[in-house]
Amino acid sequence: MGNYFNKQYTNLRFSKESNTTSGLRNAQIGAIHAISSFFTLHKNKAAVIVMPTGSGKTAVLMMTPYVVGSEKVLIVTPSVMVRGQIVEDYSSLKTLCRAVVFRDGVKKPTVYEMKHTYCDDMLVDINEADVVVATPLCALSLSSVENVRVKFDIILVDEAHHVPAKTWEQILVNMNAAKHVLFTATPFRLDRKEIKGEMIYTYPLSMAYSDGIFGEIEYIPIDEEPNKDYLIAKKAERVFFSDRELGYDHYLMVRTNTKEKAKELEELYSQETALSLKRIDSSMSNSTIKKCINELRNKSLDGIICVDMLGEGFDFPNLKIAAIHSPHKSLASALQFIGRFARTNAENIGTAKFIAMNDSELLIENTAMYTNDAIWQDIIIDLSENKAKEEEQSKEYFKGFRRNANSGTDANDEISLHSIRPNGHAKIYRVSGFDISASFPDACNVSEDVLINENDNTVVGIGKECIPPKWTMNDNLVNINNVLYIVHYQAKCNLLYIYSQTKTEAIYESIANAFCDSFNKIPKYQMNRVLGDLKEFEIFNSGMQNRYVESGESYRISAGSDVSAAIDPVTGKLYSPGHVFCKASSEDSEITIGYSSGSKMWSSTYFTIPQYVKWCDFNGKKIVNPDMKVKTNTNFDFLPMPMQLTKYPDNIFICDYDADTYSSPPVIKKANEEGFKNILTDICPKIVSITHGTVIVEFCFADMYEQILCDINGNYTSANPQIMLVDGREIMHLVEYLNEYPLSFKTTDDVLIQGIEYLRGNADAIVFSSDNIKGIDWDYYGTNRRIEVNDPVYHPTGISIQTTVEQLLTDDVDNKYIIYDHSSSEIADYITIKESEFTLEATLYHVKKMSAQTYNSSVDDVYEVSGQAVKSTIWLKTKPGFISKIKDRRRSGHCNFFVGDYEHFKLTMKQNKQLIGKIVIVQPSISKGKPMPDKIQQVLAATNFYINNSGKVKSLTIWGSI
């Protein structure tokens, strides 16, 4: 044997089919010549042939060994049934003779049907055969035997969209010396894995329809009702007998997705219809299935009930009615299924009909297939061709990748770019000086094998992340995870997109710094533009920044079907948008999109790399478009959008930590790890200086002193980093932490600044009133206004302000508890608790000495104590939080009880009584009876405004001077 195909090549004829003569169809002519020409140039590359179901792939498959001069052929088929059909057809050359490719008397090939996995008893038959036909498992066993697989010089794969499955793929790997030709109607898979090979011929479904190969199809919808199966069965019966009455030789297939369901339908159709049907599934023997199919061909049956059977390779064009009880969920499966019914190569057949319940929830490729107005003829063709075109474009796109200069391997040797599916997530920077040849920072632990596409400025790297298991603190034992990094630069917009599975600011900034000369975050009002040109919004997750609750409810997160319904105009006065995630409609599809103030955008969609790049670029054009308007037509529009910070105002008087810092505060790392652990919120940040371009904030803890600069781009730097934090399992400098969780700054005219965002509030609502100033006759008590607290070193004599305050508090017999907490990281200098029938009233007293020479003359006397007062409202957020803070302070030797004791205090606080908070500022420099400059009025008015809007504090009182 061995020379059969070469010898018969001269007998081949390439006659074209016409209305009067038999021959090859247009698609078959194109495909076979494409194969012939491809292998004149490429001996060891895989060729992919895409031809719609019913266009004659089998004939092209059988012709291929003749045109390429094969010695021995292995054909891999998806099922036993298809294997038998090909063996029968190839042994007789029935299809090729009918197409006048060969004359009837041509010598036939020797075909061996491999029904079992390989054993040595088969060797004689395989040696004598020109063609071996096998299912995947059998073919795999053959391909694993070295002295057998070398006999084959070509592998033909039928229904090649199965190839990425491990068994199929391993066959081709084992037999990589042979030519590979892959035939498929759908060059894409449900699992989205790549069908490796060059798509050398694609015959579009629209041309198949134009050429009359793909027939008319019609969708017959049934309105949604509880008795779905019964209604579909009765409609199928009616359509079947109507078609028969019209003279059509049509047959029915009842399709479902489980064997149990098929049994139920068999009983239903038997009892409720006059149709003669039989059930087949994969648990039945091949002989049983063949018998059933023969009965169908012999017209003894009206149809069959099956579970994903006969989907591939089965040729029975009279199968024209489909009763779909369980629709397919994937485009590949749906196209295969529909293609079986759209064949035209039979007499007395008409339009293929698909009967299904109108299910508006079912989407295939984001397209509603089963709706009343679905025009299947157009939908199926568009879906098929768009998907095939996308697959072909992806293959071309990936050819543009190369490895970096340090690697000599091919870009697809180890990493299949086609198989990478990042979820929609990107950190975005506006950048300058992008360098595509740059290396990933060491922190990413990316090897030298970085993949680069200079056509669209995209870099892909795989890093190694070594993390100790959660059950050990020993770094010697680690889990190694592969981490995907994608860097894409959109040159026209000067935007850099970073995809990283490690979503920390440190990683994002180190990557941006490695690839660019400079980079800045995108302000929220520009990020908001990603919602532009969308409609039919459904906002199901949003965050709102509270401008007035001082870390009480600083950030409100809402989740649900449409959370915007809970927003009203009053909410809009209190909150600004933080993040949003929504569903919306674009021109041609439904999408999900979200963004945050952290210069991030995301979607619930998973993309191929070219789709990810396209998604980034599409939204990037919106981000940089100043004319892009956003209107969701939901209550979300009530929330005011912050603008970009261009300069720091000089009336900032408060800086405070991010809401996340208060909810999960990092621990301060000390040289001596023994004893009480302090957290970051124990350090009170203090503003040292303000310019238009910078704010310098001072942090003091124990013997550590650090000044941190925040620039106009929201970046924090420190000339001498000292304070270290432990956040989870990470150890970092304070300045690194602040770059991830930035401070917020507030002004006296209701402006909130966080990061690069500047949000103007309601300045008109901040009005000064002296009504809350209480004049204290300090002289009556002999108080020295310039001594804040008596201490044995600096102020051993004289009556301090605190001494007088203590006397005033003690004189008030309603104070059940008086707690002294003056020290660094204090709650307040004094805390009092009053108890009534229904409430517990906690008052925080913040005491500062008078530094100025005259009353109401120094804003410095007011700034610090006002900031402390506003920030202390967090400790009154909840009763458990208040109790916990006092407990923590006592553990560090503070919160001493001057009146009452701690044990009784705990019992008192456990009562089911509401906690009401009050704040008192004690500053003798403030006088109610003296003229007060505007600057001091602004600070006091803003302090009163912020505290009264906190929602947890009932009032602010100022103890000043008469």
Side-chain angles (χ1 to χ4, degrees):
M1 310 300 288
N3 293 319
Y4 166 77
F5 293 107
N6 275 316
K7 291 177 180 177
Q8 299 304 318
Y9 175 76
T10 54
N11 293 323
L12 279 175
R13 291 188 294 176
F14 298 90
S15 303
K16 281 187 102 174
E17 183 184 54
S18 68
N19 293 332
T20 57
T21 60
S22 298
L24 293 170
R25 296 171 181 167
N26 190 37
Q28 293 168 322
I29 289 283
I32 196 63
H33 284 308
I35 293 169
S36 181
S37 62
F38 178 78
F39 284 109
T40 62
L41 299 173
H42 310 285
K43 300 298 183 185
N44 295 313
K45 282 191 175 182
V48 180
I49 303 295
V50 183
M51 297 172 66
T53 301
S55 60
K57 288 195 304 295
T58 302
V60 178
L61 181 147
M62 290 194 295
M63 289 180 70
T64 298
Y66 296 97
V67 299
V68 300
S70 300
E71 297 265 334
K72 192 180 292 290
V73 183
L74 174 63
I75 300 175
V76 186
T77 68
S79 67
V80 171
M81 184 184 67
V82 176
R83 182 188 70 196
Q85 288 178 346
I86 290 181
V87 168
E88 181 182 343
D89 200 346
Y90 225 147
S91 298
S92 65
L93 295 181
K94 178 177 63 176
T95 296
L96 296 185
C97 289
R98 189 189 306 131
V100 201
V101 173
F102 290 117
R103 300 185 188 276
D104 290 337
V106 69
K107 181 178 175 61
K108 310 300 190 292
T110 303
V111 182
Y112 174 64
E113 183 175 7
M114 190 176 180
K115 297 182 179 180
H116 307 288
T117 54
Y118 178 80
C119 64
D120 289 339
D121 293 344
M122 300 177 180
L123 189 56
V124 174
D125 291 326
I126 291 174
N127 283 336
E128 292 180 353
D130 301 302
V131 179
V132 175
V133 187
T135 52
L137 283 175
C138 295
L140 179 62
S141 68
L142 181 151
S143 72
S144 302
V145 182
E146 171 68 26
N147 66 324
V148 177
R149 67 180 179 224
V150 296
K151 300 177 184 293
F152 295 87
D153 62 338
I154 189 167
I155 316 298
L156 305 178
V157 180
D158 193 19
E159 307 301 346
H161 51 277
H162 291 286
V163 167
K166 288 185 177 179
T167 302
W168 294 74
E169 193 167 21
Q170 192 59 48
I171 296 168
L172 299 181
V173 170
N174 291 347
M175 307 182 74
N176 58 2
K179 297 181 179 72
H180 298 167
V181 186
L182 316 177
F183 296 86
T184 182
T186 53
F188 40 86
R189 286 175 50 86
L190 179 60
D191 60 12
R192 297 184 174 182
K193 291 184 178 178
E194 177 187 13
I195 300 176
K196 290 188 176 180
E198 190 163 333
M199 295 172 67
I200 65 170
Y201 185 77
T202 301
Y203 184 68
L205 196 59
S206 58
M207 190 169 289
Y209 178 63
S210 176
D211 288 346
I213 296 171
F214 190 90
E216 299 285 346
I217 57 177
E218 177 186 354
Y219 169 53
I220 301 174
I222 296 174
D223 290 335
E224 196 165 0
E225 296 284 347
N227 53 341
K228 172 181 177 179
D229 293 329
Y230 172 80
L231 293 174
I232 292 175
K234 295 302 289 183
K235 176 65 78 172
E237 178 188 39
R238 181 180 173 189
V239 170
F240 175 83
F241 286 113
S242 294
D243 280 6
R244 284 290 178 91
E245 190 66 27
L246 291 171
Y248 292 125
D249 195 12
H250 287 178
Y251 290 83
L252 170 70
M253 177 190 283
V254 177
R255 193 269 169 185
T256 188
N257 59 352
T258 67
K259 296 172 186 176
E260 292 72 20
K261 183 70 173 179
K263 291 177 183 178
E264 293 175 11
L265 292 175
E266 184 178 29
E267 185 175 351
L268 173 68
Y269 275 83
S270 174
Q271 292 178 356
E272 301 293 343
T273 73
L275 295 167
S276 176
L277 307 177
K278 272 195 175 180
R279 172 178 55 86
I280 59 174
D281 62 50
S282 58
S283 66
M284 298 175 178
S285 66
N286 190 40
S287 59
T288 302
I289 295 172
K290 275 189 173 182
K291 182 180 177 183
C292 181
I293 293 172
N294 287 333
E295 289 182 58
L296 189 67
R297 293 186 187 277
N298 295 333
K299 304 185 179 182
S300 301
L301 295 174
D302 297 326
I304 51 176
I305 301 170
C306 67
V307 183
D308 284 340
M309 297 287 290
L310 313 184
E312 294 169 325
F314 179 66
D315 186 8
F316 186 51
N318 294 82
L319 208 56
K320 281 291 175 180
I321 304 168
I324 305 172
H325 291 263
S326 301
H328 292 87
K329 297 296 178 70
S330 76
L331 177 59
S333 300
L335 288 177
Q336 285 282 349
F337 181 76
I338 292 167
R340 297 294 150 205
F341 293 82
R343 292 173 182 262
T344 59
N345 55 330
E347 300 293 330
N348 297 326
I349 59 174
T351 300
K353 299 178 178 68
F354 298 84
I355 304 162
M357 182 71 75
N358 181 4
D359 185 354
S360 59
E361 293 184 358
L362 179 66
L363 295 176
I364 298 181
E365 298 292 313
N366 287 328
T367 302
M369 294 286 291
Y370 298 96
T371 57
N372 284 324
D373 59 351
I375 304 172
W376 272 32
Q377 200 72 51
D378 296 336
I379 290 175
I380 295 300
I381 290 174
D382 287 346
L383 281 175
S384 174
E385 295 190 1
N386 289 341
K387 190 68 176 178
K389 183 178 180 181
E390 181 183 312
E391 196 74 14
E392 196 164 359
Q393 288 175 342
S394 291
K395 286 182 178 291
E396 287 300 313
Y397 173 80
F398 291 126
K399 288 179 182 178
F401 276 90
R402 63 169 176 82
R403 290 194 182 274
N404 64 4
N406 296 321
S407 174
T409 56
D410 183 75
N412 282 299
D413 279 355
E414 297 176 14
I415 302 172
S416 174
L417 291 171
H418 193 285
S419 66
I420 293 176
R421 291 293 187 278
N423 61 308
H425 192 280
K427 179 79 170 184
I428 311 174
Y429 294 101
R430 183 170 282 107
V431 303
S432 64
F434 175 73
D435 179 10
I436 197 170
S437 300
S439 298
F440 281 93
D442 292 341
C444 296
N445 199 18
V446 174
S447 68
E448 292 298 329
D449 291 336
V450 175
L451 303 173
I452 298 171
N453 189 324
E454 294 177 342
N455 296 328
D456 66 355
N457 294 310
T458 301
V459 183
V460 179
I462 307 294
K464 301 291 183 184
E465 183 181 52
C466 302
I467 303 175
K470 292 181 179 179
W471 42 263
T472 180
M473 294 300 292
N474 189 338
D475 290 341
N476 293 330
L477 190 63
V478 296
N479 292 326
I480 298 177
N481 299 323
N482 290 307
V483 181
L484 174 64
Y485 297 102
I486 302 174
V487 175
H488 170 62
Y489 173 60
Q490 187 177 12
K492 290 183 178 178
C493 302
N494 291 322
L495 296 180
L496 185 76
Y497 305 86
I498 301 174
Y499 177 88
S500 169
Q501 291 174 287
T502 305
K503 296 176 173 62
T504 66
E505 287 298 306
I507 285 293
Y508 286 128
E509 290 189 2
S510 64
I511 294 173
N513 189 54
F515 283 90
C516 304
D517 292 338
S518 65
F519 59 93
N520 293 301
K521 295 177 184 176
I522 310 298
K524 190 189 299 178
Y525 80 95
Q526 293 181 2
M527 291 299 301
N528 185 58
R529 293 171 183 165
V530 301
L531 303 184
D533 289 340
L534 299 175
K535 57 185 179 181
E536 298 174 5
F537 284 85
E538 182 181 342
I539 299 172
F540 42 77
N541 192 297
S542 73
M544 296 185 294
Q545 181 82 40
N546 192 321
R547 303 199 297 275
Y548 309 121
V549 179
E550 302 310 310
S551 304
E553 189 202 29
S554 294
Y555 201 79
R556 177 187 292 182
I557 297 177
S558 303
S561 58
D562 187 5
V563 299
S564 66
I567 302 172
D568 55 26
V570 175
T571 307
K573 293 179 180 179
L574 296 174
Y575 294 87
S576 64
H579 74 267
V580 65
F581 187 46
C582 62
K583 182 168 64 176
S585 296
S586 62
E587 290 183 358
D588 54 359
S589 63
E590 192 175 77
I591 67 165
T592 58
I593 186 70
Y595 72 87
S596 73
S597 57
S599 195
K600 297 176 182 177
M601 70 172 178
W602 63 87
S603 169
S604 59
T605 306
Y606 282 76
F607 298 107
T608 62
I609 292 177
Q611 287 171 340
Y612 178 80
V613 169
K614 185 177 180 182
W615 176 70
C616 290
D617 288 352
F618 176 77
N619 286 294
K621 290 177 182 177
K622 291 184 180 183
I623 289 171
V624 300
N625 182 3
D627 297 325
M628 180 62 65
K629 306 299 180 185
V630 175
K631 191 168 182 62
T632 68
N633 293 314
T634 70
N635 289 3
F636 185 78
D637 295 335
F638 286 132
L639 299 176
M641 186 59 57
M643 300 303 289
Q644 184 172 6
L645 177 68
T646 55
K647 68 177 183 178
Y648 285 108
D650 56 10
N651 60 340
I652 295 173
F653 81 111
I654 297 174
C655 70
D656 204 357
Y657 295 111
D658 183 83
D660 285 334
T661 303
Y662 281 106
S663 61
S664 301
V667 176
I668 300 170
K669 185 174 176 59
K670 296 182 288 187
N672 182 4
E673 295 294 340
E674 296 180 0
F676 179 75
K677 302 281 188 180
N678 292 92
I679 56 178
L680 179 57
T681 51
D682 289 335
I683 302 177
C684 183
K686 179 182 177 182
I687 297 173
V688 175
S689 67
I690 303 169
T691 68
H692 288 328
T694 62
V695 176
I696 296 177
V697 183
E698 182 179 278
F699 297 81
C700 296
F701 179 76
D703 59 346
M704 292 182 286
Y705 166 86
E706 185 173 348
Q707 287 193 349
I708 294 179
L709 181 147
C710 180
D711 67 20
I712 199 68
N713 296 311
N715 299 316
Y716 291 81
T717 56
S718 174
N720 184 26
Q722 292 189 46
I723 300 174
M724 299 291 294
L725 305 176
V726 180
D727 189 23
R729 301 184 74 163
E730 292 187 63
I731 299 175
M732 65 184 71
H733 286 285
L734 171 60
V735 68
E736 294 177 290
Y737 180 85
L738 293 178
N739 274 309
E740 189 150 359
Y741 301 100
L743 298 170
S744 61
F745 300 98
K746 289 180 180 292
T747 70
T748 56
D749 57 350
D750 195 21
V751 169
L752 172 66
I753 298 169
Q754 192 163 33
I756 57 173
E757 294 174 358
Y758 179 97
L759 180 65
R760 182 172 293 281
N762 185 9
D764 294 336
I766 301 179
V767 180
F768 174 74
S769 171
S770 62
D771 292 347
N772 66 335
I773 301 177
K774 178 181 177 180
I776 303 294
D777 188 353
W778 303 103
D779 292 336
Y780 173 79
Y781 296 97
T783 308
N784 186 336
R785 297 169 177 79
R786 303 191 187 282
I787 302 176
E788 183 175 317
V789 59
N790 288 117
D791 64 82
V793 178
Y794 298 105
H795 301 291
T797 60
I799 299 174
S800 69
I801 301 170
Q802 285 195 8
T803 301
T804 303
V805 169
E806 188 175 324
Q807 181 179 343
L808 289 168
L809 298 180
T810 306
D811 291 344
D812 187 346
V813 295
D814 291 334
N815 285 328
K816 187 170 183 176
Y817 301 98
I818 300 176
I819 306 168
Y820 182 66
D821 193 37
H822 173 73
S823 66
S824 62
S825 311
E826 64 191 29
I827 299 173
D829 291 286
Y830 289 92
I831 305 163
T832 63
I833 307 293
K834 292 180 178 180
E835 182 179 7
S836 68
E837 184 179 359
F838 300 108
T839 64
L840 294 169
E841 182 182 281
T843 304
L844 309 185
Y845 295 81
H846 297 276
V847 181
K848 283 291 178 286
K849 67 180 180 181
M850 177 178 177
S851 300
Q853 297 301 312
T854 58
Y855 296 114
N856 299 339
S857 62
S858 172
V859 74
D860 291 337
D861 278 351
V862 181
Y863 258 134
E864 184 177 356
V865 70
S866 295
Q868 288 177 343
V870 173
K871 286 185 280 189
S872 68
T873 59
I874 183 178
W875 311 126
L876 300 170
K877 174 184 174 184
T878 64
K879 188 196 290 186
F882 177 64
I883 298 170
S884 177
K885 183 62 179 176
I886 288 180
K887 178 181 177 181
D888 287 343
R889 292 290 293 163
R890 285 184 61 79
R891 286 173 58 204
S892 60
H894 302 98
C895 273
N896 299 312
F897 281 72
F898 283 5
V899 173
D901 62 74
Y902 181 56
E903 294 304 320
H904 285 96
F905 166 79
K906 290 192 291 184
L907 293 174
T908 299
M909 299 304 290
K910 284 182 179 179
Q911 298 178 90
N912 187 22
K913 294 184 178 183
Q914 181 185 6
L915 179 68
I916 294 175
K918 291 185 176 182
I919 304 287
V920 175
I921 291 175
V922 182
Q923 175 49 274
S925 177
I926 300 170
S927 174
K928 185 174 183 177
K930 304 289 183 182
M932 187 178 294
D934 290 343
K935 189 75 171 178
I936 296 178
Q937 288 188 25
Q938 290 170 7
V939 174
L940 295 180
T943 303
N944 188 59
F945 176 76
Y946 289 134
I947 288 175
N948 286 332
N949 279 282
S950 70
K952 300 296 179 183
V953 179
K954 186 177 180 180
S955 66
L956 167 69
T957 303
I958 300 170
W959 286 8
S961 297
I962 297 172

